[in-house]
Structures are given as structure tokens and as C-alpha cells.
Amino acid sequence: MLKNVKAIDPQVLSDMKYRVWEANLALEKAKLVVLTWGNASEVNRELGAIVIKPSGVPYATMTADQMVVTDLEGNLLEENSMKPSSDLPTHVHLYKHFADVCAVVHTHSKYAVMWAQSGRDIPPYGTTHADTFYGPIPCTRQLTQSEVETAYERDTGKVIVERFEKGQIDPLAVPGVLTIGHGPFTWGATVGKAVENAIVLDEVAHMAMFTEMLNFQHDVLPSYMLDKHYFRKHGANAYYGQG
Amino acid sequence: MLKNVKAIDPQVLSDMKYRVWEANLALEKAKLVVLTWGNASEVNRELGAIVIKPSGVPYATMTADQMVVTDLEGNLLEENSMKPSSDLPTHVHLYKHFADVCAVVHTHSKYAVMWAQSGRDIPPYGTTHADTFYGPIPCTRQLTQSEVETAYERDTGKVIVERFEKGQIDPLAVPGVLTIGHGPFTWGATVGKAVENAIVLDEVAHMAMFTEMLNFQHDVLPSYMLDKHYFRKHGANAYYGQG
Amino acid sequence: MLKNVKAIDPQVLSDMKYRVWEANLALEKAKLVVLTWGNASEVNRELGAIVIKPSGVPYATMTADQMVVTDLEGNLLEENSMKPSSDLPTHVHLYKHFADVCAVVHTHSKYAVMWAQSGRDIPPYGTTHADTFYGPIPCTRQLTQSEVETAYERDTGKVIVERFEKGQIDPLAVPGVLTIGHGPFTWGATVGKAVENAIVLDEVAHMAMFTEMLNFQHDVLPSYMLDKHYFRKHGANAYYGQG
Amino acid sequence: MLKNVKAIDPQVLSDMKYRVWEANLALEKAKLVVLTWGNASEVNRELGAIVIKPSGVPYATMTADQMVVTDLEGNLLEENSMKPSSDLPTHVHLYKHFADVCAVVHTHSKYAVMWAQSGRDIPPYGTTHADTFYGPIPCTRQLTQSEVETAYERDTGKVIVERFEKGQIDPLAVPGVLTIGHGPFTWGATVGKAVENAIVLDEVAHMAMFTEMLNFQHDVLPSYMLDKHYFRKHGANAYYGQG
């Protein structure tokens, strides 16, 4: 039973829950998630609702019905709700500042974490990168002790937004980030796309790491190749796929 | 219904589509393909037809019937055809210049991409390499901005052919290449063989990378060992297999 | 038929055996175990019983009933018992000295072994580490020749306890160790938790190794981040999960 | 129908074929074999028969019945036999010189090949190594051009035997070798044991490689630890397992 959003069409909410549940399972199936280390959410700004994975629930027994519904500030909207993922405040902050982002995914996928732990941006070494990320995948600055102790999860969102704003990076053109010492967040216009971007980020992270081992010069892709591959798949002149 | 090739025996065309579809699935099964990043094609020069994977279609739902038929210039031959893989012009160019090649495969397989992104040829460090590739697996030069902006996919084919012609490399003796910053193309007399060569290339790429980590001297196989292993499996005096 | 512990409720013992059997299978399913290289045990101090995997038995045919029951000194308690894991004396020693530990797991999981063979502690490079291990994962000193020849397995336990006591490390806050040249032991309040910690240790070992390859500075997580992540999941103020 | 060995009990031969077939499949299941790159054989010196995998046959369709039977010199013993693995002369040579070896396995397993291609012995860095290999896993010398051109496969056996004899290495105490630029051979008293040793060799090769990355000092296991672990599992005083 809904507390504050009785007005939401139950079918719309149930569909959101189903998609978010499915996205969380897809993360595990793609081997991006070990134990319960990952979460996916979706926002519907018009309805004022976010749906997110519950905290610490094993994927094997998790049901669509257990997905947690909150308002746009992260307040629970259903009675008898489970506790939401502890990373919810990060998701909330991203939804507030990235207007075109409708879904967020967080994992501890191996290769992305290795880069996050090294504190480095992932350079665009190839077209696999450029097909999805239009430039380096940025790594956030370290949070201060005060940020960590006061509102850690929200400020994780804050340093992400800060990095994109200061660097004038379009979050849809670079749909992912590394939070230093922690791991990747990705996003997209749909939760399926956010999951796909999480898969790509980890693959690209793996490739980039050993590209550096093979060639100490670390030449990145020429900018005209970056342009070509990104715009082959995105924007008005895209010609990849059936769309 | 065929536009220009009504003369093609429907069974022959249907068999080609089935083999190409099967080859694309085999790439995914061998874990060479993530998401939709790969494509296989087959040519029948006598009939004037190429069959290739459609662009951006998920492997899980792809059917043999959806394979795209074109003429030898890459023009669609069927009404209501799906869009072909965006890499079709590369395949077309290879078929034009490599007379004995009847099938082409492209993937973003991890280890081959790492070498492609490093811009280096893969040296023949061992017999696993020599059994399939009679010499280094070459990496193409970077395309110029003008090549990328004018006819990127065709010119990807052009730099491959250029590398083989300048280096006087026989494309059947070295049935694969790395396109710099991008990834591997392999080929063969049959689409099954082209898939097999894609599997071997990635395996050999993986082995070569860590061979270098273990031994900084990077000694390649003596040429008489390269000869022995290559000709054990290929040519008139081959004695491997049941053939 | 029990020799000395006829007093143990058969259902309690049977439940212990089932859990220990299940834990051993979980190790294999998580790919931490090759062939028969792993063992899990559980202690019930009140009943004076330890249940552990039999030595060298293939996982595929192993049954819950074959789990071996010993007293707190490692003496067999059942007639017709199989031989216990040869590492039993290590488990016994840990149970004697780590009062809150109720289950122990040993594996030769790849990445943890690589660190153990290098003789190095695993530094806390990220939050994936900090979520489970509150500080570096220590590596024991080399056993002396006399220790190895006299009571090798018991003294493997001895050098573990020595490292924790000298370093004033709380075994529940750092629920795992590397034994030099050998491999990891993990533990927990339940055998499920000990298995989970073995999974985390190997994952963290993998991530740490390549973090070092990507960044030669090897900066560890700031201590306030270590605190934040560890206490987000553990202790009175934990707020992760549904508990 | 047997040509020269009609005297062999058909059930004994059929059992040998079944075990060899099963061993070959086990290699693939353990992911040691890509495509058809592997072979296992068994010898019965009393009966004068070797059973080995046929050359270049896909594992998916291979049947026990297709296993090839030869005499102790490698001559075919059955009419309508398939062609034996091209590595048969290596197996034959090992059986002639290693009197206690009753089964041989050859693969191109990744990590073992990386070491073979680097031309280095695998140092005994840990107990996982010592549990099976009592000392370094040796790498053979390069074959001369004349050896390669005259009797390549036999002389591959010759350089293996040469390395063990010159180094006074007991082939049962070190049940495997790396042939330079090529890959591993392992053996054992049974074909099951030879397969197991192939699994261990690749695992140990993987661990050793990254042990070196983590610690540039490359300290090997103290000899008393090597003794302890090897003799815990082998010889009169072994106490591992149920035996």
C-alpha cells in the first residue's frame, strides 16, 4: 500500500519494479556483481518516483516485488518496504543534477575497480571505448574526511557531478564514472542502457589496462577516430543498428 | 523476394544464411563477442552474393532468416532486408582483393583488441601461433583523418590490403590482421574456418602478451620451427588431422 | 555410532554436517577450489565438536554424511570415520585461540595464493576490501625447518595466531590471512560467512594486484574511508543490509 | 579387427579406449584445450599396446571407439583405424624411456604455454606446486634445425628425456615438462593422474607468473617446505587423502 503516492498507476509502478529487478539480475549474469555488490535504479520524474534494489539481498532469492520505491528525495513511499540500497543517496543526487539520466547502475566490477583504486581516468585507447564513451572515463577526486563522515553517499554523488561540471563533460556522452578507491557508476536513458554501459565500462577497463602493458607510449585514439566511432552510434547521423 | 538475384537457388541462399548465422552464434559462444560487437559474412562470387549479419541485433533473438544479402559491391539484394553490419564495406573490400578468401569475421575479442590498441604486430612466440599464422599477425597503420571522414569502413579494408600487399604477405598463410585502435579481422576459405581463426588469434594474443611479461628478451620462434608447425597443418605435405 | 559424544543430539550433528558439506560445495561453485584443494569446518564449543571435510575426497561424489567429526583437540569421534582434512590441526589451533570464530575455510584460490607466494600483506586499496577487512590482510612469517618437520599443520595455525596477536589485529575485524608460500585461511561466526570471506579475499587480491600495475604509487585508502566502509557494514552503527 | 594383436582381450582394449577418450574429454572440460589442441594416451607394456586420440577430431563428436591403437613403436594395430595424434612419436619416446609412466597428456593450456614460450623453468614458488611437482618444472632446450626437419615429434620426446636425465630428475617426482616455444606434457601412472597433473601444471603456471609480478625478489619455497608438501602427498609416509 502506498503512503504518499497512491495516485501512481499500479501497473506503471509494477513495470518499473520489474525492469529494475531484471536489470539487477542482468548485472549478476554479466558477472559484474559478486555477492550483493551492485545496484540498479530507475527514476520517473513525472510521477516523482525512484525504484531501487533493496540493500544486501541475495540475487538468487530477490523478487521484483521487493524493489524499493522512494520519492525524488529518497524517502520511502511504501509501507512495509525493505531498506533501499545504501547507495540510494548517490543515485538521488545524480538524478537531481543529470536531467536526461533516467537510470543509474553501480557495481564493483573487477577491472573498473582496479582503475578506480588506482585513482586514474581511463584513457580512450580504442574504438570499443569510443563507441560508448566520448572521451576519457573520469575518476573523481578523493572525498574529504568531513564529506565522508557527514553525508558519504550523497557526497559521492556530489564529487561525480562536480567532475562532470568542472570538466564540462556531457553525462550522456560519457555515461559513466569511477569513484576513487570505490568503483564505477554508469547511467543511461533506460535501465537497460545503464546496465549495458556498465558491461562496456568493465570491458574497456580490462582492455585499457593491458594495452598499457603492451605499449609504454600509451597513445590514445586520434580525436577524429573518437568522433567517427562515437557518432557512428550516437546522434542525428548515427548509422549503426536497425533504428 | 529477391530484387536482382531471383536466379539464385533459394536453397543455396538459405544454406549460406544458415552458415553465417551459425558462425555469428559461434563467435558469441566462444566468448569473442560482447553485446553485438562482432560480425561474420560469407561470399559466393559465382552467384554474386554476400551474406552478412544485420547491424546491432542481439544474438539471443537473431534468426538465420535475418541475415542480410548483398551483391559484391554491398548493395542490398532483398526487399524488406534488415540493415547490414556497418562493417560491410570492409568485408566487401577484402573480398575484392583477397581472391581466395570466402568468409570474413570481425570481433572485439579482448586480447586481440589489447594488441590492436597498442598498435603492435603480434610476434610469433610459439607453435600455437605457427600452427595457424605463418609469421607475425600484422597491425595496420592509422587511417588519416580524411580516410576516416570519407569512407571509413571501406578504407579500413584498404589499409588491411595495403599492409598485406606491401609486406608481400599471403592472406591465406596469415589469415588475420589487427586494425589499429580497433580490433581483429580474420578470414578463411569457409566461414567456419574464419571463426576458428578468430578463436586462435585471441588465444595467441593472450599467450603472447604474458610471454613478454615472463621474458623481457622476447625471442620469437626459430624460423625452422615456424616452417615445421605451419606446414605440418597446411599445404601439400600436411600430416595433421584426418584429411 | 559415536565413540565419546553419544550425548550429542543427532539432529544437531547432522545439521552441522550438512552446513559444512554445503560450504565445501560452495567453495567449488565459487571457483575457489581446484581438484580437492580446500576445506571448510565448523566448531560447536558447547558440544565439544568440530565437523570438517574428509581428506582428498572429490567434491562431485562427497556426501554430507562423510563429513568428519572430532573433539576440540581433533580426535575422531565417530567409528568408521573417514580421515579428516590434513589441515585439521590448523583449524583446531585457530578455534582454540580465536574465541569468536566458529568456522574456518582454507583454499588455494588463485589470486590469494599469488599474494601468499609473494610473501606480502594485501594493502587496503579500496572499499571492496574495507567492506570486509578492516586493514591489510596479513601474510604470516615463514615457518622454521623445525616447525615444519615437527607439527607443520598445527604450527601453521601458530604463526597465524602469532601474527594477529603481535599485530593486535582483531580476527573478526580482519577475518582472513595469507600463510606464506601456501594460501589463504578465512573464518567467521558461521561457515557461510567464512565462505563469503574466502570469496571476498580472492576478489580483493585480484583487484589489488592490478591496482599496483596501474599506479606505481600504491596509495592505500585514507583511514577515514576504511572506517566509513567497514563500519557501514559492521558493528552497532551498521546500516547496510536488512538486519 | 586387429592386425597383429588379435590376442588382446577385447574388453581390456575397450576399457583402455574408454579411459583415454574420457581423459581427452576431461582436458576440454577443464578448459585446458581449445579446438583440438590436446591429446592423451595410455600404454599397456605387457600387451604391447598404446591407445591415443585420433588427430584433429573435434571433441564434441569424438567417440571412445575412434581412439587409435598402436604397438609400442607407434605402428597402427587396427584396420580402418583413424590417423593417430601427430604427437604420437613424442608419447612413444616417453614410454620407452620413462619406465613407470603409463599415460601421457599434451595440451596447449594457456599459462603453461606462456612459460614454454618464454623458455623458462617454472620455479617452485609455493605449496600448490610442491604438492605435485618436487622441484622446478623444467623447460627443454630448443631443438636444432636438423632435429626439427628429421624427426620433430620423436625428438621432442628426446629433448624431454635428455633434460630429465642430465638433470637427474625423477619423472614421477616431477610429472611434467615444458617444451620450449610449444607447451606442456604431463604424465602419470594412470591417465586420470596425467590429466590431473596437466590441470595442476596450468594452475601453478598461472600462480607463478603473477607471484613474480607482485614480488621482484622471486624467492622460492624453502627446500624443507618443498619436502614437507611433496611427501605429505607422495611416498611411504604420505598422509593426505583416504588411501
Side-chain angles (χ1 to χ4, degrees), chain D residues 139-170:
Chain D
C139 185
T140 61
R141 69 164 170 82
Q142 188 63 68
L143 278 78
T144 65
Q145 181 157 3
S146 146
E147 286 168 337
V148 167
E149 289 171 359
T150 316
Y152 172 57
E153 289 83 4
R154 187 204 62 196
D155 285 355
T156 297
K158 194 184 76 174
V159 294
I160 294 172
V161 171
E162 178 188 306
R163 178 70 207 263
F164 277 70
E165 288 182 347
K166 283 196 181 165
Q168 295 183 284
I169 308 170
D170 172 358

Short mmCIF file of all heavy atoms in Angstrom, two decimals, chain D residues 139-170:
data_model
loop_
_atom_site.label_atom_id
_atom_site.label_comp_id
_atom_site.label_asym_id
_atom_site.label_seq_id
_atom_site.Cartn_x
_atom_site.Cartn_y
_atom_site.Cartn_z
N CYS D 139 61.99 -26.65 -18.50
CA CYS D 139 61.70 -26.30 -19.89
C CYS D 139 62.83 -26.88 -20.75
O CYS D 139 64.01 -26.75 -20.40
CB CYS D 139 61.62 -24.78 -20.04
SG CYS D 139 61.14 -24.26 -21.69
N THR D 140 62.49 -27.53 -21.84
CA THR D 140 63.50 -28.18 -22.68
C THR D 140 64.34 -27.16 -23.45
O THR D 140 63.96 -26.01 -23.59
CB THR D 140 62.84 -29.09 -23.73
OG1 THR D 140 62.02 -28.27 -24.57
CG2 THR D 140 61.99 -30.16 -23.10
N ARG D 141 65.47 -27.62 -23.98
CA ARG D 141 66.25 -26.78 -24.88
C ARG D 141 65.55 -26.70 -26.23
O ARG D 141 64.71 -27.54 -26.57
CB ARG D 141 67.67 -27.35 -25.05
CG ARG D 141 67.72 -28.67 -25.81
CD ARG D 141 69.14 -28.99 -26.30
NE ARG D 141 69.24 -30.34 -26.82
CZ ARG D 141 68.89 -30.71 -28.06
NH1 ARG D 141 68.41 -29.83 -28.93
NH2 ARG D 141 69.03 -31.98 -28.44
N GLN D 142 65.93 -25.70 -27.02
CA GLN D 142 65.43 -25.57 -28.38
C GLN D 142 65.94 -26.74 -29.23
O GLN D 142 67.12 -27.12 -29.13
CB GLN D 142 65.94 -24.23 -28.95
CG GLN D 142 65.36 -23.85 -30.29
CD GLN D 142 63.86 -23.65 -30.19
OE1 GLN D 142 63.41 -22.70 -29.58
NE2 GLN D 142 63.09 -24.53 -30.80
N LEU D 143 65.10 -27.32 -30.03
CA LEU D 143 65.55 -28.35 -30.98
C LEU D 143 66.38 -27.68 -32.08
O LEU D 143 66.13 -26.53 -32.44
CB LEU D 143 64.37 -29.07 -31.62
CG LEU D 143 63.75 -30.21 -30.81
CD1 LEU D 143 62.85 -29.70 -29.71
CD2 LEU D 143 62.99 -31.18 -31.71
N THR D 144 67.36 -28.41 -32.61
CA THR D 144 68.13 -27.88 -33.73
C THR D 144 67.30 -27.98 -35.00
O THR D 144 66.31 -28.72 -35.07
CB THR D 144 69.42 -28.67 -33.95
OG1 THR D 144 69.06 -30.01 -34.35
CG2 THR D 144 70.26 -28.75 -32.68
N GLN D 145 67.75 -27.26 -36.03
CA GLN D 145 67.03 -27.31 -37.31
C GLN D 145 66.99 -28.74 -37.83
O GLN D 145 65.96 -29.20 -38.33
CB GLN D 145 67.73 -26.40 -38.32
CG GLN D 145 67.03 -26.39 -39.67
CD GLN D 145 67.34 -25.15 -40.49
OE1 GLN D 145 68.12 -24.30 -40.08
NE2 GLN D 145 66.70 -25.04 -41.65
N SER D 146 68.11 -29.44 -37.68
CA SER D 146 68.18 -30.80 -38.19
C SER D 146 67.21 -31.71 -37.42
O SER D 146 66.53 -32.55 -38.01
CB SER D 146 69.63 -31.29 -38.10
OG SER D 146 69.67 -32.65 -37.82
N GLU D 147 67.13 -31.54 -36.10
CA GLU D 147 66.18 -32.35 -35.32
C GLU D 147 64.75 -32.08 -35.77
O GLU D 147 63.94 -33.00 -35.90
CB GLU D 147 66.33 -32.05 -33.83
CG GLU D 147 67.58 -32.65 -33.20
CD GLU D 147 67.88 -32.10 -31.80
OE1 GLU D 147 67.42 -30.98 -31.48
OE2 GLU D 147 68.60 -32.79 -31.05
N VAL D 148 64.45 -30.80 -35.98
CA VAL D 148 63.08 -30.44 -36.38
C VAL D 148 62.75 -31.03 -37.73
O VAL D 148 61.64 -31.53 -37.96
CB VAL D 148 62.91 -28.91 -36.38
CG1 VAL D 148 61.62 -28.50 -37.09
CG2 VAL D 148 62.93 -28.37 -34.95
N GLU D 149 63.71 -30.97 -38.64
CA GLU D 149 63.41 -31.40 -40.02
C GLU D 149 63.43 -32.91 -40.19
O GLU D 149 62.79 -33.45 -41.09
CB GLU D 149 64.37 -30.72 -41.00
CG GLU D 149 64.03 -29.22 -41.12
CD GLU D 149 65.05 -28.42 -41.90
OE1 GLU D 149 66.04 -29.02 -42.34
OE2 GLU D 149 64.85 -27.20 -42.07
N THR D 150 64.13 -33.61 -39.31
CA THR D 150 64.25 -35.06 -39.45
C THR D 150 63.13 -35.83 -38.75
O THR D 150 62.42 -36.62 -39.35
CB THR D 150 65.61 -35.53 -38.89
OG1 THR D 150 66.62 -34.65 -39.35
CG2 THR D 150 65.91 -36.95 -39.33
N ALA D 151 63.04 -35.63 -37.48
CA ALA D 151 62.05 -36.41 -36.72
C ALA D 151 61.54 -35.56 -35.58
O ALA D 151 61.78 -35.82 -34.41
CB ALA D 151 62.70 -37.70 -36.20
N TYR D 152 60.81 -34.52 -35.94
CA TYR D 152 60.43 -33.48 -34.99
C TYR D 152 59.72 -34.02 -33.76
O TYR D 152 60.10 -33.73 -32.62
CB TYR D 152 59.54 -32.44 -35.69
CG TYR D 152 58.95 -31.44 -34.76
CD1 TYR D 152 59.77 -30.66 -33.95
CD2 TYR D 152 57.57 -31.25 -34.67
CE1 TYR D 152 59.24 -29.72 -33.08
CE2 TYR D 152 57.03 -30.32 -33.81
CZ TYR D 152 57.87 -29.56 -33.02
OH TYR D 152 57.34 -28.63 -32.15
N GLU D 153 58.68 -34.82 -33.99
CA GLU D 153 57.88 -35.26 -32.85
C GLU D 153 58.67 -36.23 -31.97
O GLU D 153 58.58 -36.15 -30.75
CB GLU D 153 56.57 -35.89 -33.33
CG GLU D 153 55.58 -34.87 -33.90
CD GLU D 153 55.85 -34.53 -35.36
OE1 GLU D 153 56.77 -35.15 -35.97
OE2 GLU D 153 55.15 -33.65 -35.92
N ARG D 154 59.45 -37.13 -32.58
CA ARG D 154 60.26 -38.04 -31.77
C ARG D 154 61.28 -37.25 -30.98
O ARG D 154 61.50 -37.48 -29.78
CB ARG D 154 60.98 -39.06 -32.66
CG ARG D 154 61.70 -40.14 -31.83
CD ARG D 154 62.84 -40.79 -32.58
NE ARG D 154 63.88 -39.81 -32.92
CZ ARG D 154 64.82 -40.01 -33.83
NH1 ARG D 154 64.85 -41.14 -34.53
NH2 ARG D 154 65.73 -39.07 -34.08
N ASP D 155 61.91 -36.29 -31.62
CA ASP D 155 62.97 -35.54 -30.94
C ASP D 155 62.43 -34.57 -29.90
O ASP D 155 63.17 -34.13 -29.01
CB ASP D 155 63.85 -34.83 -31.96
CG ASP D 155 64.78 -35.85 -32.65
OD1 ASP D 155 64.75 -37.03 -32.25
OD2 ASP D 155 65.51 -35.46 -33.57
N THR D 156 61.16 -34.22 -30.01
CA THR D 156 60.53 -33.50 -28.91
C THR D 156 60.57 -34.39 -27.66
O THR D 156 60.87 -33.93 -26.56
CB THR D 156 59.07 -33.13 -29.27
OG1 THR D 156 59.12 -32.24 -30.39
CG2 THR D 156 58.36 -32.46 -28.12
N GLY D 157 60.31 -35.68 -27.86
CA GLY D 157 60.46 -36.64 -26.76
C GLY D 157 61.91 -36.73 -26.31
O GLY D 157 62.21 -36.77 -25.11
N LYS D 158 62.81 -36.71 -27.28
CA LYS D 158 64.24 -36.85 -26.96
C LYS D 158 64.75 -35.72 -26.07
O LYS D 158 65.46 -35.97 -25.09
CB LYS D 158 65.05 -36.88 -28.27
CG LYS D 158 66.47 -37.35 -28.11
CD LYS D 158 67.26 -37.27 -29.42
CE LYS D 158 67.66 -35.84 -29.72
NZ LYS D 158 68.54 -35.69 -30.90
N VAL D 159 64.37 -34.48 -26.38
CA VAL D 159 64.88 -33.37 -25.55
C VAL D 159 64.24 -33.36 -24.16
O VAL D 159 64.82 -32.87 -23.20
CB VAL D 159 64.73 -31.98 -26.24
CG1 VAL D 159 65.61 -31.91 -27.48
CG2 VAL D 159 63.27 -31.66 -26.56
N ILE D 160 63.03 -33.92 -24.08
CA ILE D 160 62.41 -34.05 -22.75
C ILE D 160 63.23 -35.04 -21.91
O ILE D 160 63.65 -34.74 -20.79
CB ILE D 160 60.94 -34.54 -22.85
CG1 ILE D 160 60.06 -33.49 -23.54
CG2 ILE D 160 60.39 -34.87 -21.46
CD1 ILE D 160 58.64 -33.96 -23.86
N VAL D 161 63.47 -36.22 -22.48
CA VAL D 161 64.21 -37.26 -21.75
C VAL D 161 65.62 -36.76 -21.41
O VAL D 161 66.10 -36.93 -20.29
CB VAL D 161 64.26 -38.55 -22.59
CG1 VAL D 161 65.20 -39.57 -21.95
CG2 VAL D 161 62.86 -39.14 -22.74
N GLU D 162 66.25 -36.09 -22.37
CA GLU D 162 67.58 -35.52 -22.16
C GLU D 162 67.61 -34.59 -20.95
O GLU D 162 68.50 -34.66 -20.10
CB GLU D 162 67.95 -34.75 -23.44
CG GLU D 162 69.28 -34.03 -23.43
CD GLU D 162 69.41 -33.15 -24.69
OE1 GLU D 162 69.25 -33.66 -25.81
OE2 GLU D 162 69.65 -31.92 -24.53
N ARG D 163 66.59 -33.73 -20.86
CA ARG D 163 66.54 -32.77 -19.76
C ARG D 163 66.40 -33.49 -18.41
O ARG D 163 67.02 -33.11 -17.41
CB ARG D 163 65.38 -31.80 -19.98
CG ARG D 163 65.16 -30.77 -18.89
CD ARG D 163 66.28 -29.71 -18.84
NE ARG D 163 66.41 -29.15 -17.51
CZ ARG D 163 65.87 -28.00 -17.10
NH1 ARG D 163 65.20 -27.26 -17.94
NH2 ARG D 163 66.01 -27.59 -15.85
N PHE D 164 65.58 -34.53 -18.37
CA PHE D 164 65.37 -35.27 -17.11
C PHE D 164 66.62 -36.08 -16.74
O PHE D 164 66.99 -36.15 -15.58
CB PHE D 164 64.13 -36.15 -17.20
CG PHE D 164 62.86 -35.38 -16.89
CD1 PHE D 164 62.39 -34.43 -17.78
CD2 PHE D 164 62.17 -35.60 -15.71
CE1 PHE D 164 61.24 -33.68 -17.49
CE2 PHE D 164 61.02 -34.86 -15.41
CZ PHE D 164 60.55 -33.90 -16.30
N GLU D 165 67.27 -36.67 -17.76
CA GLU D 165 68.45 -37.48 -17.46
C GLU D 165 69.62 -36.62 -17.04
O GLU D 165 70.26 -36.88 -16.02
CB GLU D 165 68.81 -38.35 -18.68
CG GLU D 165 67.78 -39.47 -18.86
CD GLU D 165 68.10 -40.40 -20.02
OE1 GLU D 165 68.97 -40.06 -20.84
OE2 GLU D 165 67.44 -41.46 -20.13
N LYS D 166 69.91 -35.56 -17.81
CA LYS D 166 71.01 -34.67 -17.45
C LYS D 166 70.79 -34.05 -16.08
O LYS D 166 71.72 -33.87 -15.30
CB LYS D 166 71.17 -33.56 -18.50
CG LYS D 166 71.85 -34.02 -19.76
CD LYS D 166 72.32 -32.83 -20.60
CE LYS D 166 72.99 -33.31 -21.89
NZ LYS D 166 73.15 -32.24 -22.88
N GLY D 167 69.53 -33.66 -15.80
CA GLY D 167 69.24 -33.01 -14.53
C GLY D 167 68.98 -34.00 -13.40
O GLY D 167 68.69 -33.59 -12.29
N GLN D 168 69.11 -35.29 -13.71
CA GLN D 168 68.81 -36.35 -12.73
C GLN D 168 67.47 -36.11 -12.03
O GLN D 168 67.35 -36.15 -10.82
CB GLN D 168 69.94 -36.45 -11.70
CG GLN D 168 71.25 -36.88 -12.35
CD GLN D 168 72.35 -37.06 -11.33
OE1 GLN D 168 72.92 -36.08 -10.83
NE2 GLN D 168 72.65 -38.30 -11.00
N ILE D 169 66.49 -35.82 -12.86
CA ILE D 169 65.13 -35.58 -12.34
C ILE D 169 64.32 -36.86 -12.50
O ILE D 169 64.33 -37.48 -13.57
CB ILE D 169 64.43 -34.44 -13.13
CG1 ILE D 169 65.32 -33.17 -13.17
CG2 ILE D 169 63.08 -34.11 -12.51
CD1 ILE D 169 64.82 -32.10 -14.12
N ASP D 170 63.63 -37.26 -11.44
CA ASP D 170 62.77 -38.43 -11.48
C ASP D 170 61.44 -38.04 -12.13
O ASP D 170 60.73 -37.18 -11.61
CB ASP D 170 62.55 -38.92 -10.04
CG ASP D 170 61.51 -40.02 -9.95
OD1 ASP D 170 60.90 -40.40 -10.97
OD2 ASP D 170 61.28 -40.50 -8.82
#
